[in-house]
Amino acid sequence: MIDLYSSLALKLIDSGKTAWVLQHSSPETAVEQIAREISAEQVRCMIAARRRGVCV
């Protein structure tokens, strides 16, 4: 689930869109909420790495 959210968010970012949908939609379960929080952190780290010129 974490990989799914992270890859979806990165696809949106790569296409020039934001991952707003992932951050502002309501999860249906506690597990989904945790997966979204973890994937959001991973995406933030990937974006920061890309800005520093590191390919991820």
Side-chain angles (χ1 to χ4, degrees), residues 39-52 56:
S39 63
E41 180 61 28
Q42 287 178 340
V43 168
R44 282 191 288 274
C45 290
M46 289 179 205
I47 291 170
R50 287 181 179 184
R51 288 182 179 155
R52 290 189 310 269
V56 290

Side-chain angles (χ1 to χ4, degrees), residues 10-55:
L10 288 173
K11 285 179 186 176
L12 289 169
I13 291 164
D14 287 342
S15 68
K17 300 175 184 172
T18 65
W20 185 87
V21 173
L22 287 177
Q23 296 173 357
H24 296 285
S25 56
S26 298
E28 296 181 16
T29 64
V31 171
E32 189 176 5
Q33 176 63 37
I34 293 167
R36 286 180 187 214
E37 290 171 9
I38 293 169
S39 63
E41 180 61 28
Q42 287 178 340
V43 168
R44 282 191 288 274
C45 290
M46 289 179 205
I47 291 170
R50 287 181 179 184
R51 288 182 179 155
R52 290 189 310 269
V54 177
C55 185

